[in-house]
Amino acid sequence: MKNKKDISKLTLMILYGLKIRTSTGYDLQKLFSTLVRQSPSHQQVYRELRRMSEQQLIGYRVIPSDSKPDSKLYRISKQGRDLLELTLEAKTNPYIATLAPLLHFKAESVYLSKICELIKQDLSLFDEELDNPNLSTNQVLHIREKIIITRSQLEILELYRDDLARVEAPVQAA
């Protein structure tokens, strides 16, 4: 295992993302592309997931599919969780600052709800644009593409918001 000061930016992002929620590589990449300005490519994420699995920082289970290739659902291991905690506690890794969007994201499910509402307003505006009879075919296709992308981002954010709300909820005494 690497020294906690030598952990890459992507390793930190993946460990923190998996600490929040078990995810597929695709889900992680979508989360990063939604929250981080210069997000890693699919290839970078999958290569890092493979390396981290070999180092036993994460584990996975295969989810079979008849219609498409099987996917892997990744989870952080005890070793990965320990490494993440040591790295965050030491505050010496130069990449910790890159976790800011994810750290803020985890701490603010209420804020995330507001972002989801703004995205829903954008979707309504896109729908209104489609009602314009003077749009060309290319303009309609462009708006529909924006709608598809925005809906997928909204779906991902809502899933994480709901997971974070459960994590942040206070434990009730019996």
PDB file of all heavy atoms in Angstrom, residues 1-4 7 11-12 15 55 57 78-88:
ATOM      1  N   MET A   1       0.841  -1.189   0.000  1.00  0.00           N
ATOM      2  CA  MET A   1       0.000   0.000   0.000  1.00  0.00           C
ATOM      3  C   MET A   1       0.874   1.236   0.000  1.00  0.00           C
ATOM      4  O   MET A   1       1.915   1.280   0.637  1.00  0.00           O
ATOM      5  CB  MET A   1      -0.898  -0.034   1.245  1.00  0.00           C
ATOM      6  CG  MET A   1      -1.745   1.193   1.394  1.00  0.00           C
ATOM      7  SD  MET A   1      -3.017   1.061   2.660  1.00  0.00           S
ATOM      8  CE  MET A   1      -2.143   0.533   4.078  1.00  0.00           C
ATOM      9  N   LYS A   2       0.437   2.246  -0.692  1.00  0.00           N
ATOM     10  CA  LYS A   2       1.194   3.485  -0.775  1.00  0.00           C
ATOM     11  C   LYS A   2       1.174   4.221   0.557  1.00  0.00           C
ATOM     12  O   LYS A   2       0.262   4.078   1.354  1.00  0.00           O
ATOM     13  CB  LYS A   2       0.584   4.402  -1.829  1.00  0.00           C
ATOM     14  CG  LYS A   2       0.738   3.933  -3.231  1.00  0.00           C
ATOM     15  CD  LYS A   2       0.111   4.955  -4.139  1.00  0.00           C
ATOM     16  CE  LYS A   2       0.428   4.666  -5.581  1.00  0.00           C
ATOM     17  NZ  LYS A   2      -0.108   5.688  -6.445  1.00  0.00           N
ATOM     18  N   ASN A   3       2.163   5.067   0.750  1.00  0.00           N
ATOM     19  CA  ASN A   3       2.177   5.996   1.861  1.00  0.00           C
ATOM     20  C   ASN A   3       1.008   6.953   1.672  1.00  0.00           C
ATOM     21  O   ASN A   3       0.684   7.343   0.559  1.00  0.00           O
ATOM     22  CB  ASN A   3       3.520   6.744   1.848  1.00  0.00           C
ATOM     23  CG  ASN A   3       3.640   7.755   2.956  1.00  0.00           C
ATOM     24  OD1 ASN A   3       2.762   8.587   3.153  1.00  0.00           O
ATOM     25  ND2 ASN A   3       4.722   7.670   3.673  1.00  0.00           N
ATOM     26  N   LYS A   4       0.378   7.368   2.775  1.00  0.00           N
ATOM     27  CA  LYS A   4      -0.813   8.220   2.648  1.00  0.00           C
ATOM     28  C   LYS A   4      -0.534   9.530   1.940  1.00  0.00           C
ATOM     29  O   LYS A   4      -1.421  10.155   1.402  1.00  0.00           O
ATOM     30  CB  LYS A   4      -1.456   8.446   4.004  1.00  0.00           C
ATOM     31  CG  LYS A   4      -0.585   9.133   5.016  1.00  0.00           C
ATOM     32  CD  LYS A   4      -1.313   9.208   6.345  1.00  0.00           C
ATOM     33  CE  LYS A   4      -0.404   9.624   7.457  1.00  0.00           C
ATOM     34  NZ  LYS A   4       0.295   8.569   8.105  1.00  0.00           N
ATOM     35  N   ILE A   7      -0.938   9.075  -2.197  1.00  0.00           N
ATOM     36  CA  ILE A   7      -2.190   8.644  -2.811  1.00  0.00           C
ATOM     37  C   ILE A   7      -2.585   9.644  -3.889  1.00  0.00           C
ATOM     38  O   ILE A   7      -2.554  10.848  -3.682  1.00  0.00           O
ATOM     39  CB  ILE A   7      -3.299   8.539  -1.764  1.00  0.00           C
ATOM     40  CG1 ILE A   7      -2.926   7.492  -0.734  1.00  0.00           C
ATOM     41  CG2 ILE A   7      -4.619   8.179  -2.410  1.00  0.00           C
ATOM     42  CD1 ILE A   7      -3.863   7.457   0.426  1.00  0.00           C
ATOM     43  N   THR A  11      -7.490   8.282  -6.649  1.00  0.00           N
ATOM     44  CA  THR A  11      -7.674   7.298  -5.575  1.00  0.00           C
ATOM     45  C   THR A  11      -8.471   7.910  -4.436  1.00  0.00           C
ATOM     46  O   THR A  11      -9.409   7.300  -3.916  1.00  0.00           O
ATOM     47  CB  THR A  11      -6.320   6.779  -5.065  1.00  0.00           C
ATOM     48  OG1 THR A  11      -5.626   6.150  -6.135  1.00  0.00           O
ATOM     49  CG2 THR A  11      -6.491   5.780  -3.937  1.00  0.00           C
ATOM     50  N   LEU A  12      -8.098   9.124  -4.050  1.00  0.00           N
ATOM     51  CA  LEU A  12      -8.835   9.809  -2.977  1.00  0.00           C
ATOM     52  C   LEU A  12     -10.295  10.017  -3.361  1.00  0.00           C
ATOM     53  O   LEU A  12     -11.202   9.785  -2.557  1.00  0.00           O
ATOM     54  CB  LEU A  12      -8.202  11.170  -2.679  1.00  0.00           C
ATOM     55  CG  LEU A  12      -7.023  11.183  -1.721  1.00  0.00           C
ATOM     56  CD1 LEU A  12      -6.431  12.581  -1.631  1.00  0.00           C
ATOM     57  CD2 LEU A  12      -7.425  10.687  -0.352  1.00  0.00           C
ATOM     58  N   LEU A  15     -12.110   6.589  -3.255  1.00  0.00           N
ATOM     59  CA  LEU A  15     -12.312   6.132  -1.881  1.00  0.00           C
ATOM     60  C   LEU A  15     -13.417   6.935  -1.204  1.00  0.00           C
ATOM     61  O   LEU A  15     -14.291   6.380  -0.545  1.00  0.00           O
ATOM     62  CB  LEU A  15     -11.012   6.220  -1.077  1.00  0.00           C
ATOM     63  CG  LEU A  15      -9.947   5.172  -1.389  1.00  0.00           C
ATOM     64  CD1 LEU A  15      -8.662   5.470  -0.629  1.00  0.00           C
ATOM     65  CD2 LEU A  15     -10.450   3.763  -1.077  1.00  0.00           C
ATOM     66  N   GLN A  55      -5.010  -3.902  -4.918  1.00  0.00           N
ATOM     67  CA  GLN A  55      -4.387  -3.494  -3.655  1.00  0.00           C
ATOM     68  C   GLN A  55      -5.318  -3.709  -2.460  1.00  0.00           C
ATOM     69  O   GLN A  55      -4.965  -3.364  -1.338  1.00  0.00           O
ATOM     70  CB  GLN A  55      -3.966  -2.029  -3.705  1.00  0.00           C
ATOM     71  CG  GLN A  55      -2.834  -1.759  -4.659  1.00  0.00           C
ATOM     72  CD  GLN A  55      -2.398  -0.306  -4.614  1.00  0.00           C
ATOM     73  OE1 GLN A  55      -3.125   0.576  -4.181  1.00  0.00           O
ATOM     74  NE2 GLN A  55      -1.194  -0.065  -5.072  1.00  0.00           N
ATOM     75  N   LEU A  57      -7.957  -2.144  -1.640  1.00  0.00           N
ATOM     76  CA  LEU A  57      -8.518  -0.922  -1.065  1.00  0.00           C
ATOM     77  C   LEU A  57     -10.028  -0.880  -1.275  1.00  0.00           C
ATOM     78  O   LEU A  57     -10.749  -0.200  -0.550  1.00  0.00           O
ATOM     79  CB  LEU A  57      -7.878   0.323  -1.700  1.00  0.00           C
ATOM     80  CG  LEU A  57      -6.383   0.493  -1.462  1.00  0.00           C
ATOM     81  CD1 LEU A  57      -5.838   1.665  -2.266  1.00  0.00           C
ATOM     82  CD2 LEU A  57      -6.109   0.672   0.020  1.00  0.00           C
ATOM     83  N   LYS A  78     -12.209  -2.274   4.379  1.00  0.00           N
ATOM     84  CA  LYS A  78     -11.710  -1.733   5.649  1.00  0.00           C
ATOM     85  C   LYS A  78     -10.354  -1.089   5.436  1.00  0.00           C
ATOM     86  O   LYS A  78     -10.073  -0.003   5.954  1.00  0.00           O
ATOM     87  CB  LYS A  78     -11.633  -2.828   6.702  1.00  0.00           C
ATOM     88  CG  LYS A  78     -11.071  -2.292   8.026  1.00  0.00           C
ATOM     89  CD  LYS A  78     -11.161  -3.267   9.152  1.00  0.00           C
ATOM     90  CE  LYS A  78     -10.602  -2.787  10.453  1.00  0.00           C
ATOM     91  NZ  LYS A  78      -9.966  -1.509  10.553  1.00  0.00           N
ATOM     92  N   GLN A  79      -9.508  -1.735   4.647  1.00  0.00           N
ATOM     93  CA  GLN A  79      -8.182  -1.185   4.360  1.00  0.00           C
ATOM     94  C   GLN A  79      -8.291   0.160   3.631  1.00  0.00           C
ATOM     95  O   GLN A  79      -7.576   1.103   3.949  1.00  0.00           O
ATOM     96  CB  GLN A  79      -7.383  -2.182   3.522  1.00  0.00           C
ATOM     97  CG  GLN A  79      -5.956  -1.788   3.266  1.00  0.00           C
ATOM     98  CD  GLN A  79      -5.198  -2.862   2.491  1.00  0.00           C
ATOM     99  OE1 GLN A  79      -5.659  -3.982   2.333  1.00  0.00           O
ATOM    100  NE2 GLN A  79      -4.035  -2.496   2.004  1.00  0.00           N
ATOM    101  N   GLY A  80      -9.212   0.255   2.685  1.00  0.00           N
ATOM    102  CA  GLY A  80      -9.425   1.511   1.962  1.00  0.00           C
ATOM    103  C   GLY A  80      -9.984   2.591   2.863  1.00  0.00           C
ATOM    104  O   GLY A  80      -9.569   3.754   2.806  1.00  0.00           O
ATOM    105  N   ARG A  81     -10.927   2.220   3.732  1.00  0.00           N
ATOM    106  CA  ARG A  81     -11.515   3.187   4.673  1.00  0.00           C
ATOM    107  C   ARG A  81     -10.437   3.700   5.631  1.00  0.00           C
ATOM    108  O   ARG A  81     -10.352   4.899   5.901  1.00  0.00           O
ATOM    109  CB  ARG A  81     -12.660   2.529   5.439  1.00  0.00           C
ATOM    110  CG  ARG A  81     -13.450   3.485   6.312  1.00  0.00           C
ATOM    111  CD  ARG A  81     -14.636   2.771   6.969  1.00  0.00           C
ATOM    112  NE  ARG A  81     -15.560   2.194   6.006  1.00  0.00           N
ATOM    113  CZ  ARG A  81     -16.532   2.865   5.404  1.00  0.00           C
ATOM    114  NH1 ARG A  81     -16.705   4.132   5.660  1.00  0.00           N
ATOM    115  NH2 ARG A  81     -17.330   2.267   4.544  1.00  0.00           N
ATOM    116  N   ASP A  82      -9.611   2.780   6.142  1.00  0.00           N
ATOM    117  CA  ASP A  82      -8.530   3.183   7.053  1.00  0.00           C
ATOM    118  C   ASP A  82      -7.556   4.127   6.359  1.00  0.00           C
ATOM    119  O   ASP A  82      -7.140   5.139   6.934  1.00  0.00           O
ATOM    120  CB  ASP A  82      -7.777   1.958   7.583  1.00  0.00           C
ATOM    121  CG  ASP A  82      -8.620   1.106   8.527  1.00  0.00           C
ATOM    122  OD1 ASP A  82      -9.679   1.591   9.005  1.00  0.00           O
ATOM    123  OD2 ASP A  82      -8.225  -0.048   8.779  1.00  0.00           O
ATOM    124  N   LEU A  83      -7.199   3.807   5.121  1.00  0.00           N
ATOM    125  CA  LEU A  83      -6.275   4.653   4.367  1.00  0.00           C
ATOM    126  C   LEU A  83      -6.878   6.031   4.126  1.00  0.00           C
ATOM    127  O   LEU A  83      -6.201   7.054   4.285  1.00  0.00           O
ATOM    128  CB  LEU A  83      -5.904   3.992   3.042  1.00  0.00           C
ATOM    129  CG  LEU A  83      -4.960   4.779   2.144  1.00  0.00           C
ATOM    130  CD1 LEU A  83      -3.615   5.019   2.826  1.00  0.00           C
ATOM    131  CD2 LEU A  83      -4.764   4.059   0.827  1.00  0.00           C
ATOM    132  N   LEU A  84      -8.139   6.074   3.774  1.00  0.00           N
ATOM    133  CA  LEU A  84      -8.813   7.351   3.549  1.00  0.00           C
ATOM    134  C   LEU A  84      -8.831   8.180   4.827  1.00  0.00           C
ATOM    135  O   LEU A  84      -8.494   9.373   4.809  1.00  0.00           O
ATOM    136  CB  LEU A  84     -10.244   7.121   3.048  1.00  0.00           C
ATOM    137  CG  LEU A  84     -11.085   8.380   2.834  1.00  0.00           C
ATOM    138  CD1 LEU A  84     -10.486   9.271   1.752  1.00  0.00           C
ATOM    139  CD2 LEU A  84     -12.519   7.994   2.491  1.00  0.00           C
ATOM    140  N   GLU A  85      -9.193   7.564   5.933  1.00  0.00           N
ATOM    141  CA  GLU A  85      -9.247   8.298   7.205  1.00  0.00           C
ATOM    142  C   GLU A  85      -7.867   8.816   7.603  1.00  0.00           C
ATOM    143  O   GLU A  85      -7.725   9.968   8.030  1.00  0.00           O
ATOM    144  CB  GLU A  85      -9.842   7.423   8.310  1.00  0.00           C
ATOM    145  CG  GLU A  85     -11.296   7.051   8.089  1.00  0.00           C
ATOM    146  CD  GLU A  85     -12.219   8.246   7.890  1.00  0.00           C
ATOM    147  OE1 GLU A  85     -12.062   9.266   8.597  1.00  0.00           O
ATOM    148  OE2 GLU A  85     -13.094   8.166   7.005  1.00  0.00           O
ATOM    149  N   LEU A  86      -6.831   7.982   7.460  1.00  0.00           N
ATOM    150  CA  LEU A  86      -5.465   8.426   7.789  1.00  0.00           C
ATOM    151  C   LEU A  86      -5.035   9.593   6.911  1.00  0.00           C
ATOM    152  O   LEU A  86      -4.425  10.553   7.381  1.00  0.00           O
ATOM    153  CB  LEU A  86      -4.470   7.271   7.618  1.00  0.00           C
ATOM    154  CG  LEU A  86      -4.465   6.206   8.699  1.00  0.00           C
ATOM    155  CD1 LEU A  86      -3.578   5.034   8.281  1.00  0.00           C
ATOM    156  CD2 LEU A  86      -3.997   6.791  10.014  1.00  0.00           C
ATOM    157  N   THR A  87      -5.371   9.509   5.642  1.00  0.00           N
ATOM    158  CA  THR A  87      -4.997  10.567   4.700  1.00  0.00           C
ATOM    159  C   THR A  87      -5.704  11.873   5.046  1.00  0.00           C
ATOM    160  O   THR A  87      -5.084  12.936   5.064  1.00  0.00           O
ATOM    161  CB  THR A  87      -5.344  10.148   3.257  1.00  0.00           C
ATOM    162  OG1 THR A  87      -4.682   8.916   2.963  1.00  0.00           O
ATOM    163  CG2 THR A  87      -4.912  11.199   2.254  1.00  0.00           C
ATOM    164  N   LEU A  88      -6.990  11.784   5.345  1.00  0.00           N
ATOM    165  CA  LEU A  88      -7.744  12.989   5.676  1.00  0.00           C
ATOM    166  C   LEU A  88      -7.298  13.581   7.011  1.00  0.00           C
ATOM    167  O   LEU A  88      -7.211  14.799   7.167  1.00  0.00           O
ATOM    168  CB  LEU A  88      -9.247  12.698   5.698  1.00  0.00           C
ATOM    169  CG  LEU A  88      -9.872  12.342   4.346  1.00  0.00           C
ATOM    170  CD1 LEU A  88     -11.335  11.965   4.523  1.00  0.00           C
ATOM    171  CD2 LEU A  88      -9.722  13.470   3.351  1.00  0.00           C
TER     172      LEU A  88
END
